[in-house]
Amino acid sequence: MTSPCPLCTPTDENVLYLTDLYRIIYANDPAWPGLCRVILNAHATEMTDLPIEHRAAIMKAVCVTESILRELMHPDKINLASLGNVVPHVHWHIIPRWQNDTHFPDPIWAAAKRTWNNKPVIKHQDIADRLKAYLG
């Protein structure tokens, strides 16, 4: 018996924005300030499993989230990732990155290279307010 998909049965998510198609959550990961995810509400494994209109709506949400994080946090780079190897459910990670973060320039899933002093601070409510303003 396979275990249920954790993105189909979420617990303790900090939802910033919700539609019938997707939700945008704040990851609440102290190691990665600003880390957000856009998660498809229905179960699908690949973006190409979705109708083109749904793909476009999800990518708009990813890009709007990226823009908001850039505006609020001024990172050196934003990483966008949709892997699904561990959780095969359509979702995107929007990850603000700084040259002095613990892993830069490697992905956040790599081994840390250094400690990170003076991490940026962001209030998830600021992100939520801007998402509502941009997405409706």
Side-chain angles (χ1 to χ4, degrees):
M1 182 170 150
T2 60
S3 60
C5 173
L7 296 181
C8 287
T9 54
T11 58
D12 299 325
E13 285 185 336
N14 189 345
V15 178
L16 301 172
Y17 189 80
L18 177 65
T19 73
D20 289 341
L21 180 62
Y22 64 83
R23 62 195 182 273
I24 303 172
I25 69 163
Y26 187 74
N28 288 324
D29 186 337
W32 300 106
L35 172 59
C36 293
R37 291 186 188 98
V38 176
I39 304 169
L40 181 69
N41 289 331
H43 189 81
T45 303
E46 307 296 345
M47 286 286 284
T48 53
D49 292 338
L50 307 177
I52 192 73
E53 306 83 34
H54 291 182
R55 289 183 237 166
I58 288 170
M59 291 314 299
K60 178 181 178 182
V62 168
C63 292
V64 166
T65 304
E66 174 185 337
S67 294
I68 289 167
L69 292 172
R70 290 182 68 200
E71 174 187 324
L72 291 174
M73 301 187 78
H74 309 285
D76 296 315
K77 182 72 178 89
I78 294 277
N79 291 168
L80 301 177
S82 178
L83 305 171
N85 297 334
V86 175
V87 180
H89 180 119
V90 172
H91 66 289
W92 286 84
H93 302 264
I94 302 95
I95 312 161
R97 299 296 307 275
W98 289 266
Q99 290 182 8
N100 67 332
D101 75 37
T102 54
H103 293 62
F104 198 88
D106 294 340
I108 66 170
W109 298 283
K113 295 175 173 281
R114 66 189 72 80
T115 58
W116 189 6
N117 300 317
N118 302 316
K119 279 186 202 173
V121 175
I122 185 73
K123 294 178 183 170
H124 68 271
Q125 190 59 50
D126 291 341
I127 302 168
D129 291 344
R130 282 182 171 75
L131 286 168
K132 289 174 190 146
Y134 285 105
L135 294 172

